[in-house]
Amino acid sequence: MKREDFANGAAMKRILVAGGAGFLGSHLCELLVGQGHHVTCVDNLATGSLRNVKALTGSNRFVILKQDICDPLPEGFMVDEIYNLACAASPPHYQADPVGTMMTCVVGTNNLLALAERCDARFLQASTSEVYGDPEQHPQREDYWGHVNPTGPRACYDEGKRAAETLCFDYLRAGRADVRVVRIFNTYGPRMRPDDGRIISNLVCQALSGEPLTIYGTGEQTRSFCYVSDLVRGLVQMMGAKDNPGGPVNFGNPGEFTINELAELVLKITGSTSELTLHPLPVDDPQRRRPDISRARELFGWQPEIPLVEGLRPTIDWFAGETRKGGRAVPSGAHLARETAGRLPEPVAAQRH
Ligand code: NAD
Ligand code: UDP
């Protein structure tokens, strides 16, 4: 099959999605297969699951290759586009194997970039708001260089992703591949793992099971939450744009919430009477996070459509199904990375809202 083949009136492409069995990757694969493309999902299933792509396995336009992107891809493999989403994204998961996280970002990304060069394929790198670290500028624009601790427990991810961006822009500058970099801000939705350890999965699972909601620090730190369908739509738009943006582009929902506000919202929607408990703030936890999405708006006319209160409902329904199957929230953060599911550090204070 060639690039010129057509399905449903649109150009059919051979697309590789690295990390396609993960949370974001599986939604992306679904969208691409739905558009008529041939998708190969390359995933080592470290944090992803075949369940996430089960519905796609019936399609003759979807293939799964179980492999680590740090290993060379099969020779003769040809693709038109590569999305690199392979990398654990939740702090407890990426900190559980910090060297593996760094290698995935650097060696794995380099392998995929080399494949893009060989195939003359377009390449999209899933970078992250974590490249801004604990930001001193607010909201975060793409020209901000960030404030990252290079030796702390989050560094394997933050610096790994920064190094991956460096590789991407070196390939682009050298004319070796058409490389695009998206900086994704906190994204949530169905198919997040209950044991993911991130804020939405933890709070929702705790609220649903009547356990105390775990608030790290004062809960006054902020995040901006983007619903998954908004995000993957943006990824496809950026990959499809005729002109290369030439620099990174932020994708996220600019609505900014404190963790306490999020907890209240989760309690309200679930109708849970769970209490809030305060726990130590993980090392290097960023205090404020909100994307400036002017670039994505100007370049692609992209902006999120689903507000948090709306996106939380299907997300809660998803977790309700998962918790019925026995899924549990786990602690997050550097000092908690090796804790086992359900074991939390001692609360430092407790409050009822
Ligand atoms: P996820 O953990 O659900 O998905 C990552 C996928 O990559 C999993 O299926 C995992 O098995 C696979 N993977 C990990 N290491 C691999 C390797 N070495 N070789 C092959 N496969 C490997 O996480 P997610 O939330 O879906 O995030 C996807 C991507 O988006 C990540 O690169 C992450 O850094 C980025 N991102 C996500 C968010 C978010 O809020 N979800 C925010 C910023 C950036
Ligand atoms: N957080 C929290 N309770 C939890 C999990 C996370 O208060 O059970 C906090 C965490 O300290 C951080 C914010 O919520 O300030 C978002 O954490 P997450 O792990 O979701 O993502 P990231 O820190 O990578 O943005």
Side-chain angles (χ1 to χ4, degrees), residues 239-285:
M239 179 69 104
K242 192 168 155 288
D243 297 323
N244 188 306
V249 183
N250 288 338
F251 278 83
N253 192 320
E256 185 181 2
F257 295 83
T258 67
I259 297 308
N260 288 326
E261 287 169 340
L262 174 66
E264 290 301 332
L265 199 52
V266 168
L267 289 178
K268 192 169 162 207
I269 300 175
T270 54
S272 169
T273 55
S274 287
E275 309 227 326
L276 306 192
T277 50
L278 298 186
H279 298 264
L281 191 69
V283 176
D284 297 334
D285 199 270

Side-chain angles (χ1 to χ4, degrees), residues 89-92 94 129-130 154 157 186 196-200 202-203 206 213-217 219 221-223 225 259 280-282 285-287 289 330-333 344:
S90 107
Y94 70 65
S129 56
E130 301 289 341
R154 294 175 82 100
Y157 184 76
N186 297 56
D196 183 83
R198 281 180 277 185
I199 186 64
I200 298 237
N202 271 8
L203 295 188
Q206 289 158 349
L213 269 52
T214 53
I215 307 293
Y216 301 162
Q221 68 272 36
T222 67
R223 293 293 187 272
F225 301 100
I259 297 308
L281 191 69
D285 199 270
Q287 281 305 293
R289 181 86 65 59
V330 294
S332 168
L344 285 166

Side-chain angles (χ1 to χ4, degrees), residues 17-27 41-50 52 65-71 84-90 93-94 100-101 103-105 108-109 112 125-130 157 161 182-189 191-193 196 198 224-226 228 231 235 251 289:
V17 180
F23 159 51
L24 296 182
S26 61
H27 286 274
C41 160
V42 174
D43 201 300
N44 66 358
L45 302 180
T47 53
S49 159
L50 291 178
N52 287 340
L65 201 56
K66 182 170 183 278
Q67 94 147 65
D68 197 302
I69 58 165
C70 296
D71 298 328
N84 181 19
L85 278 72
C87 185
S90 107
H93 288 158
Y94 70 65
T101 299
M103 290 304 138
T104 293
C105 290
T109 301
L112 294 176
Q125 169 70 7
S127 190
T128 168
S129 56
E130 301 289 341
Y157 184 76
K161 289 284 186 178
V182 293
R183 290 184 177 157
I184 302 170
F185 284 63
N186 297 56
T187 301
Y188 69 100
R191 297 204 197 119
M192 288 186 92
R193 289 168 52 151
D196 183 83
R198 281 180 277 185
S224 300
F225 301 100
C226 186
V228 61
L231 192 273
L235 302 187
F251 278 83
R289 181 86 65 59

Side-chain angles (χ1 to χ4, degrees), residues 23-339:
F23 159 51
L24 296 182
S26 61
H27 286 274
L28 176 63
C29 288
E30 220 164 67
L31 181 59
L32 295 170
V33 170
Q35 289 178 338
H37 301 298
H38 275 252
V39 174
T40 302
C41 160
V42 174
D43 201 300
N44 66 358
L45 302 180
T47 53
S49 159
L50 291 178
R51 269 183 63 211
N52 287 340
V53 287
K54 196 165 168 237
L56 292 173
T57 49
S59 167
N60 59 6
R61 286 184 282 103
F62 183 77
V63 175
I64 302 178
L65 201 56
K66 182 170 183 278
Q67 94 147 65
D68 197 302
I69 58 165
C70 296
D71 298 328
L73 282 147
E75 276 181 35
F77 196 62
M78 289 300 292
V79 288
D80 302 308
E81 290 179 355
I82 299 172
Y83 289 84
N84 181 19
L85 278 72
C87 185
S90 107
H93 288 158
Y94 70 65
Q95 289 170 27
D97 178 14
V99 175
T101 299
M102 179 57 105
M103 290 304 138
T104 293
C105 290
V106 178
V107 178
T109 301
N110 190 50
N111 274 343
L112 294 176
L113 283 166
L115 177 69
E117 181 178 24
R118 180 169 68 69
C119 299
D120 191 21
R122 221 175 249 184
F123 187 99
L124 187 137
Q125 169 70 7
S127 190
T128 168
S129 56
E130 301 289 341
V131 301
Y132 301 120
D134 190 6
E136 294 156 311
Q137 288 184 18
H138 194 78
Q140 292 77 54
R141 285 162 42 107
E142 291 88 347
D143 54 10
Y144 175 48
W145 288 358
H147 181 228
V148 173
N149 174 356
T151 58
R154 294 175 82 100
C156 58
Y157 184 76
D158 301 7
E159 294 291 9
K161 289 284 186 178
R162 285 166 69 96
E165 285 201 12
T166 304
L167 282 168
C168 287
F169 288 109
D170 282 331
Y171 266 76
L172 179 65
R173 251 188 308 273
R176 295 172 66 177
D178 180 348
V179 181
R180 295 145 192 241
V181 173
V182 293
R183 290 184 177 157
I184 302 170
F185 284 63
N186 297 56
T187 301
Y188 69 100
R191 297 204 197 119
M192 288 186 92
R193 289 168 52 151
D195 68 351
D196 183 83
R198 281 180 277 185
I199 186 64
I200 298 237
S201 42
N202 271 8
L203 295 188
V204 171
C205 291
Q206 289 158 349
L208 289 172
S209 56
E211 290 172 22
L213 269 52
T214 53
I215 307 293
Y216 301 162
T218 62
E220 286 306 298
Q221 68 272 36
T222 67
R223 293 293 187 272
S224 300
F225 301 100
C226 186
Y227 191 64
V228 61
S229 59
D230 279 334
L231 192 273
V232 295
R233 174 171 51 83
L235 302 187
V236 173
Q237 269 180 267
M238 176 142 166
M239 179 69 104
K242 192 168 155 288
D243 297 323
N244 188 306
V249 183
N250 288 338
F251 278 83
N253 192 320
E256 185 181 2
F257 295 83
T258 67
I259 297 308
N260 288 326
E261 287 169 340
L262 174 66
E264 290 301 332
L265 199 52
V266 168
L267 289 178
K268 192 169 162 207
I269 300 175
T270 54
S272 169
T273 55
S274 287
E275 309 227 326
L276 306 192
T277 50
L278 298 186
H279 298 264
L281 191 69
V283 176
D284 297 334
D285 199 270
Q287 281 305 293
R288 295 185 79 188
R289 181 86 65 59
R290 174 154 65 95
D292 180 321
I293 58 164
S294 318
R295 280 204 91 196
R297 272 205 186 100
E298 281 157 23
L299 290 169
F300 319 116
W302 180 86
Q303 61 180 20
E305 286 167 359
I306 302 181
L308 181 59
V309 64
E310 214 177 287
L312 275 177
R313 291 179 202 281
T315 309
I316 289 168
D317 288 347
W318 157 264
F319 281 118
E322 292 300 290
T323 46
R324 274 194 295 274
K325 292 177 202 149
R328 292 204 58 177
V330 294
S332 168
H335 59 298
L336 309 177
R338 281 176 290 281
E339 298 276 330

